[in-house]
Amino acid sequence: METQATICDWAEETFGPVKNPNDLLKRALLETTELSEAIEENNIKEIGKETADVVILLYRLLDQYGLDLNKEINEKMAINRVRKWKSKGDGTGSHII
């Protein structure tokens, strides 16, 4: 099973050190566009692959700052669970407090 550490180690060995973390974000945005295209085409296999590409880049981005994605998600969900939310009716929403 891959982890943030194994993914980041592989990426460092394969692509070299990150010179500018913003480059990782720019690449993640490109992969997000590819994910959107896969969703529009309802291509389940590509949806999985493109989502994985985005997460891989986010793992590496957070690693540049000494952060762990799973820990950050857990901490953010603890905040989200106590907030009050307003549904937008499309499967998304925004917090009101």
Side-chain angles (χ1 to χ4, degrees), residues 20-32 57 61:
N20 181 351
N22 203 39
D23 292 336
L24 296 170
L25 177 59
K26 289 175 185 176
R27 182 59 191 227
L29 292 171
L30 175 66
E31 296 296 341
T32 302
L57 287 156
L61 176 63

Side-chain angles (χ1 to χ4, degrees), residues 22 40 42-43 48 50 52 58 60 76:
N22 203 39
E40 287 176 14
N42 199 33
N43 186 333
E50 297 303 338
L58 294 178
R60 196 163 188 215
K76 182 62 176 174

Side-chain angles (χ1 to χ4, degrees), residues 51-65:
T51 300
D53 283 341
V54 172
V55 173
I56 288 165
L57 287 156
L58 294 178
Y59 272 141
R60 196 163 188 215
L61 176 63
L62 286 184
D63 187 67
Q64 299 303 298
Y65 298 97

